[in-house]
Each structure stands twice: as structure tokens, then as C-alpha cells.
Amino acid sequence: MGHKIYVWGSSSTSMAYVPQTSYTSAYVGNIPIQGYTTSGSFVPMTASCVIEVTVDADNDIVNWQFHGNQAGCAPYANRLE
């Protein structure tokens, strides 16, 4: 058939800020008070993707698939569609 399969992958880790908001209510004497506090932390996030592209003898794409997460595969998948 003359098909070739190209496989490549990428993986990277970065830190993502995740905000957390909490609600607080209390009384000062008989007066109710309420407020929101927002804080956050940085958590590691891994973006990974493995892509397989099958091309015919003319190097036209005949099939493709990918495995990974949205952060890693979206840039590639958007171009292949």
C-alpha cells in the first residue's frame, strides 16, 4: 500500500494557579456580617500528547489519532481537523 506512519509526542509540566473562594459569615454583636475570601495556590499541570499520522504514497494524510490530554493535544488536533 505504501503507507507510512509517523509517531511523535510531547510532554511538559508547568505550574497553574488555582483560585479558591470561601464564604464567611459572623456576627459583630447583633449585626450579621458576610464576606468572601479568595486565595489560591500553584499546582503542577502536565500537558502531554502522542500523535500518530498515517500518510499514503503521495504523503497525503489518510488517518490520524492522538492520545493524551486537552492541554497537550489541542494545538495538534485543531490543525489536523
Side-chain angles (χ1 to χ4, degrees):
M1 274 196 185
H3 288 177
K4 294 180 186 176
I5 299 175
Y6 294 96
V7 179
W8 71 95
S10 67
S11 179
S12 65
T13 302
S14 61
M15 299 300 282
Y17 182 75
V18 178
Q20 297 173 331
T21 301
S22 61
Y23 173 76
T24 303
S25 64
Y27 283 90
V28 175
N30 291 331
I31 302 171
I33 59 169
Q34 304 158 358
Y36 292 92
T37 303
T38 300
S39 62
S41 60
F42 287 91
V43 297
M45 180 189 80
T46 301
S48 62
C49 191
V50 173
I51 301 167
E52 297 178 17
V53 176
T54 304
V55 298
D56 61 17
D58 295 324
N59 283 326
D60 292 325
I61 295 174
V62 295
N63 191 19
W64 59 273
Q65 61 183 350
F66 57 90
H67 309 282
N69 57 30
Q70 178 70 20
C73 290
Y76 304 110
N78 291 339
R79 291 186 177 154
L80 288 169
E81 290 180 346

